[in-house]
Amino acid sequence: MALFNYRQSLQALLLIFFTFVAFASYHEGTGSTAWLQWTTVVVIIFFTLTFDLSFTDDSNFLFDPDADNWRRKTEAGQY
């Protein structure tokens, strides 16, 4: 079984690509803040990937904030 599915692999590749872009856009002495904008994109993609890995299975969203629904799902298999 693979570590990432297709969507997560694409997100990881985008993360790596934009990380290189962010580092490449920094030039000391020019006063440019373009690297901050690219770093913001990298942070957003990073947390999107983190959320994707934490709360989703291959294509299903697993988070259920209602405790009663969660209890019914988990206790139904015990009997």
Side-chain angles (χ1 to χ4, degrees):
M1 182 172 192
L3 180 64
F4 293 147
N5 61 22
Y6 179 73
R7 180 186 63 244
Q8 294 163 346
S9 298
L10 184 62
Q11 288 173 337
L13 287 174
L14 284 173
L15 182 66
I16 292 168
F17 174 73
F18 283 123
T19 300
F20 283 121
V21 170
F23 276 107
S25 66
Y26 178 75
H27 300 289
E28 190 173 345
T30 62
S32 174
T33 58
W35 65 275
L36 283 173
Q37 297 164 358
W38 289 113
T39 304
T40 303
V41 171
V42 169
V43 168
I44 290 170
I45 294 172
F46 172 76
F47 282 110
T48 303
L49 179 61
T50 302
F51 181 83
D52 192 17
L53 291 172
S54 299
F55 294 111
T56 58
D57 199 3
D58 289 334
S59 63
N60 298 329
F61 187 69
L62 301 175
F63 180 70
D64 188 1
D66 188 3
D68 291 331
N69 287 340
W70 186 254
R71 194 174 302 113
R72 281 192 292 266
K73 281 186 209 175
T74 56
E75 290 177 357
Q78 293 178 0
Y79 302 109

